Amino acid sequence: MDRIVRAFLFICLLVMGPTGYAQTKRVVQGMLLDTESRPISGASVRLIADGDSMGTSSSQAGFYTFENVKAQKFKIRVSSLGFDASEKEVDFPEGQTEVRVPTFMLKVNSNMIEEVVVQGVLTVQVKGDTVEYSTKDLKLREGSVAEDALKKLQGVEVDKDGNVTAQGEQVTKVRINGKDFFGGDVKTATQNLPANIIEKIQVVDDYGDMANITGNKSGDSEKIINIQIDPKYNKGYMTTLRAGYGTEDRYQATGMWMGMTDKSQVSVLGNLNNINAPLFDFNTMGGGARRRMGGGGGRGGSMFGGTSGLTNAGSIGVNIRHDFSDKLKVYGSYSYGRDDNDLLTNSLTQYFVENGTQDQYSDSTANNIFSSHRFEGNLEWNISDKDYVKITPQFGFNGTDANSSSFGKFFDENGVLDNSDTRTEGSLSDAPRFGISGLYNRKLSDKGRNLFMNFNYDNASTTKDYQGILERLINDPNEQGSTLGEIYERTVQELKNKSWNAGASLSYLEPVSEHGKIELSYDFNKNNYDNKQYQDAFDAADNVLPNTAERMLNYHYDQDYSFTTHRFGASYAYENDKIKYSLGAAVQPSKMLGDASSDDASAVIDRTNLNWMPIARFEYKFSRQKNISINYSGQSNEPTLNQILPYAVGNSSTNITYGNPNLNPEFRHRVMMRYRSGDFQKGNTFFAMINGNLTTDRIVSYVKRQRVENVGMVSQTQYLNESDPVYNLSSFYHYGKSLKEKTYNIMLMGGVSYNKNISYISQDLEETSGTKNIANNWVFNQGLMLRYNPSENLEINPGVRYAFNHTRNSMGTNNNNVSTWTPTLIGSVNLTPTTIFGADFSKSFNSGYGPLTSANPFIINTYIEQKLLKGQRGTVRLQAFDLLNEQTNLSRTVQESMLLDRQTNRLGRYFMLTFTFKLQKFSGIAPVEDNMGHGGMRRPRM
């Protein structure tokens, strides 16, 4: 082993070691201008020679400089968002130690809307799929992190839990310099990366690697953020250490170290606290070289962490990136985390029936312990100017130890108590996974002829042991104070589920004119499932409960099936300075094939479908600062395991699910329109989005709920394909206005959504067809936010939000309205140059939640901090959270046959004293003397 380690280190030294050039004092200088002779600042400039590479960026005046140049012959390569890339070959004249490269005159990219220069700073650029913000003119307090910068960007919002939305869509990934950081984990990047090293922030509608490489898009986009580090911070390190202790035995201990060179970056993060501040989101995985489409790509396990309840969190991770050369780059990360969460929940569930609603009131306590490992690596290799390869391996493991107890009361449609249940549940599960994806791109000509292919294989499994105990008291409907009978059921369940997903795609582009090209594409995807589900039931004396016509609790099921799709497409794409569109058609045959068996029966699953769909994309530039894009996508979704299992499944005799092996996969058509407009010189921005979905063969539920004598309320669920199309619509808009050099900012945002939910309902367990219910759900949101920010030392943010949720059912008179008003006030001020005071006020006015409406929390957070030590590298902060001790969560979920209101606990009042030490040191830059505290009140992960 020692020999292997020494050999590996020797190879790394050979690869990463210094070149053999002699040291010189030779200097290369140059200048960048656009076609109107305006200087271009912040552009990426690289000096490339055999075996060597140097990088820098242009100054505000457009100049760049390289010192200690070793090569005699080299290339200068220039790239900047909004301009076509350019390159020049340069020879050093004999005997000279300085050379001036002829000025680059960069041409504006035809797809780019004109950039706007405000007081010499490039503020905003809008591209078809990208909005880029410069952070140089943001009024940020020293010690701010990336999240604080995001809060000041028009069209971007960060909620109190750190979730980021941009232009009305959830941000799913964050990249740094174009590469995944800790698998793209949003909060890990935004809450830990210092804002002072950021040069630009890009909000991107990302369609995957194929679109990024070839320009041709397919499927749906993801909203991602790419953070570009200022090149002057490419050499050096930064570190932050924090320790804190408070009332209620609250504690926090965190640390971060990040080191960077021109070719390498290493980040190490650690976290230990009981203030609901997990460091990583283990539901996030990097995209890899091909987007996963279900099957083995599933990560298994439960959602990690969360803002509800009380959580003890511990985690550690490392992210590494190294460029062996301009052609070969590797990057990846490993993370480990453990969360111990205690959750209290009060809920009201209303089940829709013909004559009204049947209500369930429930109180529950739960303890969930999650542990996760995650590794992801990426290798990118530019084999030549025409050949590019990317390989991404991924490994992970999730473990869950979950225990809960609940007490519920069930009332019939007349408001009469039917029964009360006490349920205790416990489970242990393990979910390992691994996968690999890759892509290869070949440029067949300089005119646009191109061949692209990718693949993925993912394998996942879940092993789970479950035990549940149901104790039910059945009430006499005629005499509510008396009990008719009791039920005791203990179920023991074992699950062994395995799945894998494999896919590949091939795309060929052929130019047919100056502006047009034809694309031929093929995509293959297969999800395979091998599931075993065994359950046994016992009474209070530990005797086996026999199966009856009304009770199916003992079963041993095996299921092995696959879902395969082939997609063939052909389209014509056109692009000029104003317009870009793609038109074509695709056909997608799909097949679901397999079998399911029990101890005494078996069933065959064999379903074939064929879907035709258009290929349609459209982008139009009204002007250099205004554009619109429309995109269509189609996707086939197979049923879940329990939806097609042809047997009864349930952990109690009172709640049983029957699958349907004759289900067809549903097919979703989606159209999304995005509009972007702005007069950035005047400080105006406007973003709007409309999204529509229409689903054919929608899989809907058929729910039967009936009171059975000596059993109480019994629920049975079946599944079927809806013959009518099911659709939903959503919209969003954001208008922003900046005045007096961003001193005053006004933001008006909101949206409307409509969801059509269909289910079939019956109050007779023997009924074969129920009554169709259409639950029409409307959600309206509106917000007005103001910001007064005259300098880095003072910021005041008042605002108000309103949300209205209306549900109207076609069956009966089950109409529900819920509304919430939330005024807020957030601010911070420097009392002295080294003393900062901040406060956060938020009041909620809830209406329509029934017995939960009384939860109208008034949340007050505040802090005061003092800088100290030499260079002010230390900070002491005294902070108070939830001074009135009113923290709670309220939520509403609307489904086809039910409505659920939930109230959960959150971390309540406590006081904490923390000490933070921070140091930054970069080549040519003095140590940054600031603190880690910032204007926002939410606790940072780091």
Side-chain angles (χ1 to χ4, degrees):
M1 177 64 72
D2 289 340
R3 291 181 179 179
I4 295 174
V5 173
R6 286 197 295 269
F8 176 76
L9 292 175
F10 178 71
I11 292 172
C12 290
L13 288 174
L14 288 178
V15 174
M16 301 173 62
T19 61
Y21 290 116
Q23 293 293 324
T24 71
K25 296 292 186 180
R26 294 192 291 189
V27 177
V28 174
Q29 294 181 327
M31 186 176 185
L32 309 180
L33 299 175
D34 63 15
T35 53
E36 297 181 8
S37 299
R38 296 179 298 186
I40 300 173
S41 65
S44 174
V45 186
R46 298 199 66 83
L47 185 151
I48 303 170
D50 293 338
D52 194 16
S53 176
M54 303 172 68
T56 187
S57 62
S58 57
S59 68
Q60 290 291 327
F63 290 106
Y64 63 89
T65 302
F66 293 101
E67 298 179 350
N68 297 324
V69 178
K70 305 168 185 177
Q72 185 70 31
K73 295 183 177 182
F74 52 88
K75 295 179 180 179
I76 299 294
R77 184 176 297 167
V78 178
S79 61
S80 180
L81 187 64
F83 297 92
D84 292 333
S86 185
E87 185 178 285
K88 294 181 185 291
E89 294 187 359
V90 182
D91 287 346
F92 236 114
E94 290 291 339
Q96 293 189 20
T97 59
E98 183 174 333
V99 65
R100 182 68 179 267
V101 179
T103 299
F104 282 86
M105 304 295 290
L106 300 186
K107 297 180 179 180
V108 175
N109 188 298
S110 60
N111 294 326
M112 180 65 64
I113 296 177
E114 184 179 19
E115 76 285 355
V116 180
V117 179
V118 179
Q119 295 185 346
V121 178
L122 190 64
T123 303
V124 181
Q125 294 187 80
V126 178
K127 196 180 178 181
D129 293 324
T130 301
V131 179
E132 179 180 280
Y133 305 84
S134 172
T135 62
K136 295 179 180 180
D137 63 338
L138 297 180
K139 297 171 183 177
L140 294 170
R141 193 184 303 278
E142 288 185 348
S144 296
V145 292
E147 184 180 86
D148 300 299
L150 289 171
K151 291 177 180 179
K152 294 180 180 290
L153 304 182
Q154 294 284 8
V156 179
E157 295 185 73
V158 183
D159 69 15
K160 61 183 178 181
D161 297 317
N163 302 304
V164 183
T165 57
Q167 298 156 28
E169 299 175 64
Q170 186 79 29
V171 173
T172 59
K173 288 186 178 65
V174 169
R175 294 171 180 160
I176 294 180
N177 291 340
K179 310 300 180 185
D180 288 340
F181 183 73
F182 282 102
D185 198 319
V186 175
K187 298 178 188 178
T188 302
T190 61
Q191 297 177 2
N192 291 285
L193 191 67
N196 68 292
I197 71 171
I198 299 174
E199 182 182 39
K200 301 174 183 177
I201 296 177
Q202 297 173 324
V203 178
V204 183
D205 297 320
D206 184 67
Y207 289 87
D209 282 320
M210 184 173 74
N212 297 334
I213 294 172
T214 68
N216 274 36
K217 306 165 189 175
S218 62
D220 296 329
S221 65
E222 290 182 280
K223 189 71 74 175
I224 70 168
I225 286 178
N226 180 46
I227 297 174
Q228 292 189 352
I229 304 298
D230 192 323
K232 68 184 180 184
Y233 290 100
N234 282 341
K235 290 184 179 180
Y237 67 89
M238 65 189 74
T239 185
T240 302
L241 301 173
R242 176 181 293 113
Y245 187 77
T247 59
E248 308 295 328
D249 288 327
R250 300 296 165 202
Y251 62 86
Q252 180 185 22
T254 61
M256 186 225 15
W257 183 85
M258 180 182 291
M260 291 171 283
T261 68
D262 284 336
K263 295 185 177 181
S264 301
Q265 180 193 90
V266 178
S267 302
V268 181
L269 302 174
N271 176 36
L272 191 66
N273 70 78
N274 63 354
I275 58 172
N276 286 28
L279 185 60
F280 303 110
D281 177 4
F282 286 89
N283 287 303
T284 300
M285 291 290 288
R290 171 180 162 86
R291 291 187 176 178
R292 274 58 171 180
M293 298 181 66
R299 292 178 285 277
S302 301
M303 184 173 181
F304 198 89
T307 58
S308 295
L310 304 178
T311 303
N312 294 333
S315 49
I316 190 169
V318 58
N319 189 88
I320 299 175
R321 175 179 176 179
H322 180 70
D323 298 348
F324 289 97
S325 67
D326 282 343
K327 294 185 176 182
L328 182 61
K329 302 175 182 180
V330 295
Y331 55 98
S333 64
Y334 165 76
S335 308
Y336 167 76
R338 183 182 185 274
D339 276 12
D340 188 339
N341 177 263
D342 291 314
L343 181 66
L344 305 177
T345 303
N346 301 319
S347 65
L348 166 61
T349 305
Q350 294 184 310
Y351 300 95
F352 307 140
V353 295
E354 287 97 335
N355 300 322
T357 62
Q358 296 173 348
D359 297 342
Q360 174 186 351
Y361 295 88
S362 179
D363 298 324
S364 67
T365 62
N367 173 255
N368 299 297
I369 300 175
F370 309 97
S371 60
S372 288
H373 299 264
R374 176 181 65 190
F375 167 80
E376 177 180 302
N378 293 272
L379 182 148
E380 296 183 7
W381 184 18
N382 288 283
I383 302 173
S384 67
D385 292 339
K386 296 182 178 181
D387 299 278
Y388 171 76
V389 171
K390 180 179 180 180
I391 302 294
T392 303
Q394 295 176 331
F395 305 92
F397 176 87
N398 288 355
T400 305
D401 182 356
N403 295 277
S404 65
S405 62
S406 63
F407 175 75
K409 290 185 176 182
F410 297 80
F411 296 83
D412 65 16
E413 57 273 23
N414 298 313
V416 176
L417 177 63
D418 182 83
N419 58 265
S420 59
D421 286 356
T422 299
R423 178 178 291 277
T424 304
E425 297 177 295
S427 65
L428 289 171
S429 65
D430 295 326
R433 65 182 185 276
F434 68 88
I436 187 170
S437 62
L439 68 84
Y440 170 71
N441 189 74
R442 170 70 176 178
K443 295 180 180 179
L444 300 175
S445 75
D446 295 333
K447 296 181 179 181
R449 184 178 294 117
N450 193 86
L451 180 67
F452 177 92
M453 60 185 70
N454 64 15
F455 75 92
N456 78 282
Y457 174 79
D458 298 277
N459 192 299
S461 65
T462 300
T463 301
K464 180 178 180 180
D465 294 318
Y466 165 89
Q467 177 172 279
I469 298 175
L470 170 67
E471 298 176 87
R472 167 171 283 194
L473 297 178
I474 306 166
N475 282 68
D476 186 343
N478 300 314
E479 189 176 347
Q480 287 286 278
S482 63
T483 301
L484 293 178
E486 299 181 13
I487 293 177
Y488 180 96
E489 296 171 349
R490 180 171 68 89
T491 53
V492 179
Q493 190 179 99
E494 180 181 0
L495 297 177
K496 293 182 179 180
N497 296 339
K498 297 180 180 180
S499 62
W500 58 262
N501 164 251
S505 64
L506 181 67
S507 172
Y508 175 75
L509 295 175
E510 176 65 35
V512 293
S513 66
E514 180 182 358
H515 299 288
K517 56 186 175 182
I518 291 176
E519 180 186 17
L520 303 176
S521 63
Y522 167 72
D523 187 279
F524 164 82
N525 194 77
K526 182 173 183 177
N527 300 329
N528 191 84
Y529 306 89
D530 182 5
N531 302 298
K532 302 181 186 299
Q533 186 171 344
Y534 302 157
Q535 180 172 287
D536 298 290
F538 306 89
D539 62 17
D542 221 23
N543 299 313
V544 175
L545 286 170
N547 289 333
T548 64
E550 297 81 17
R551 180 179 60 205
M552 178 67 67
L553 291 179
N554 298 279
Y555 52 78
H556 301 105
Y557 297 153
D558 292 283
Q559 191 174 31
D560 189 351
Y561 73 99
S562 63
F563 181 70
T564 306
T565 62
H566 302 266
R567 176 170 172 150
F568 305 87
S571 63
Y572 171 77
Y574 178 87
E575 179 180 354
N576 63 19
D577 292 342
K578 279 281 188 180
I579 192 170
K580 179 192 295 186
Y581 66 83
S582 297
L583 292 174
V587 58
Q588 179 175 285
S590 63
K591 187 175 184 64
M592 190 160 52
L593 180 65
D595 59 76
S597 63
S598 65
D599 292 333
D600 54 6
S602 63
V604 175
I605 303 169
D606 190 352
R607 309 292 293 167
T608 300
N609 292 85
L610 182 68
N611 293 105
W612 291 86
M613 69 205 77
I615 296 175
R617 301 178 188 278
F618 177 80
E619 297 177 21
Y620 182 76
K621 293 192 300 185
F622 298 96
S623 68
R624 293 274 179 118
Q625 297 184 21
K626 185 187 302 183
N627 73 350
I628 189 172
S629 63
I630 302 174
N631 176 59
Y632 165 86
S633 63
Q635 181 176 335
S636 185
N637 301 309
E638 80 267 35
T640 63
L641 166 63
N642 286 342
Q643 287 176 339
I644 61 172
L645 185 66
Y647 309 111
V649 176
N651 50 30
S652 74
S653 60
T654 62
N655 195 347
I656 298 294
T657 297
Y658 294 87
N660 178 5
N662 295 318
L663 282 178
N664 288 319
E666 59 185 28
F667 194 86
R668 188 213 65 185
H669 304 266
R670 183 185 187 189
V671 177
M672 174 171 281
M673 181 179 71
R674 297 184 178 98
Y675 176 80
R676 303 175 179 92
S677 175
D679 186 342
F680 304 110
Q681 291 167 319
K682 295 182 179 180
N684 298 335
T685 58
F686 181 76
F687 302 107
M689 177 271 293
I690 299 177
N691 177 49
N693 292 277
L694 186 147
T695 304
T696 58
D697 284 329
R698 174 72 175 266
I699 299 173
V700 300
S701 59
Y702 175 21
V703 180
K704 307 175 187 178
R705 291 180 58 83
Q706 181 182 356
R707 189 182 191 281
V708 178
E709 187 176 358
N710 298 324
V711 178
M713 194 66 66
V714 175
S715 175
Q716 293 183 359
T717 302
Q718 300 175 7
Y719 297 98
L720 50 89
N721 290 112
E722 171 58 35
S723 57
D724 294 334
V726 180
Y727 58 90
N728 60 69
L729 299 168
S730 62
S731 64
F732 170 84
Y733 80 94
H734 173 100
Y735 172 75
K737 176 73 173 179
S738 296
L739 302 169
K740 200 175 179 180
E741 300 178 7
K742 300 186 187 301
T743 297
Y744 301 94
N745 291 272
I746 303 171
M747 290 152 286
L748 188 66
M749 73 288 291
V752 178
S753 65
Y754 167 75
N755 299 286
K756 180 181 179 181
N757 299 304
I758 295 179
S759 64
Y760 290 82
I761 296 170
S762 174
Q763 291 180 261
D764 184 354
L765 298 180
E766 303 299 324
E767 183 68 44
T768 57
S769 61
T771 302
K772 184 176 181 178
N773 179 56
I774 302 176
N776 299 281
N777 177 233
W778 290 89
V779 180
F780 172 78
N781 293 283
Q782 184 62 58
L784 173 63
M785 311 299 291
L786 307 174
R787 181 187 302 127
Y788 175 63
N789 193 191
S791 70
E792 295 84 352
N793 298 324
L794 175 62
E795 181 174 350
I796 302 175
N797 296 274
V800 62
R801 292 182 181 275
Y802 174 73
F804 177 77
N805 190 316
H806 169 74
T807 301
R808 180 176 58 84
N809 292 277
S810 62
M811 184 180 64
T813 59
N814 304 321
N815 301 325
N816 296 274
N817 296 325
V818 165
S819 64
T820 301
W821 285 93
T822 309
T824 60
L825 178 63
I826 304 172
S828 62
V829 60
N830 276 61
L831 301 178
T832 72
T834 60
T835 306
I836 303 170
F837 173 78
D840 178 346
F841 302 89
S842 174
K843 173 65 177 178
S844 296
F845 299 93
N846 298 297
S847 175
Y849 285 98
L852 306 182
T853 304
S854 59
N856 296 311
F858 184 22
I859 309 302
I860 302 176
N861 302 322
T862 186
Y863 72 91
I864 187 168
E865 66 180 30
Q866 178 67 46
K867 299 179 183 180
L868 41 83
L869 295 182
K870 182 180 179 180
Q872 300 180 0
R873 295 172 185 166
T875 301
V876 173
R877 170 184 278 206
L878 177 62
Q879 48 198 356
F881 294 94
D882 189 17
L883 281 173
L884 302 182
N885 201 29
E886 295 187 0
Q887 283 272 25
T888 189
N889 274 346
L890 274 178
S891 65
R892 164 158 291 192
T893 302
V894 178
Q895 297 182 357
E896 293 88 346
S897 59
M898 55 164 284
L899 182 149
L900 171 63
D901 290 336
R902 298 176 74 243
Q903 178 181 347
T904 58
N905 65 319
R906 292 189 62 144
L907 185 64
R909 177 173 55 206
Y910 71 95
F911 301 85
M912 177 172 281
L913 184 68
T914 60
F915 173 73
T916 302
F917 178 81
K918 182 180 178 183
L919 178 66
Q920 294 184 9
K921 181 65 175 71
F922 294 93
S923 178
I925 302 176
V928 176
E929 301 170 352
D930 60 9
N931 62 81
M932 197 61 179
H934 48 86
M937 285 302 307
R938 190 186 40 72
R939 298 167 299 284
R941 288 189 174 193
M942 248 307 308

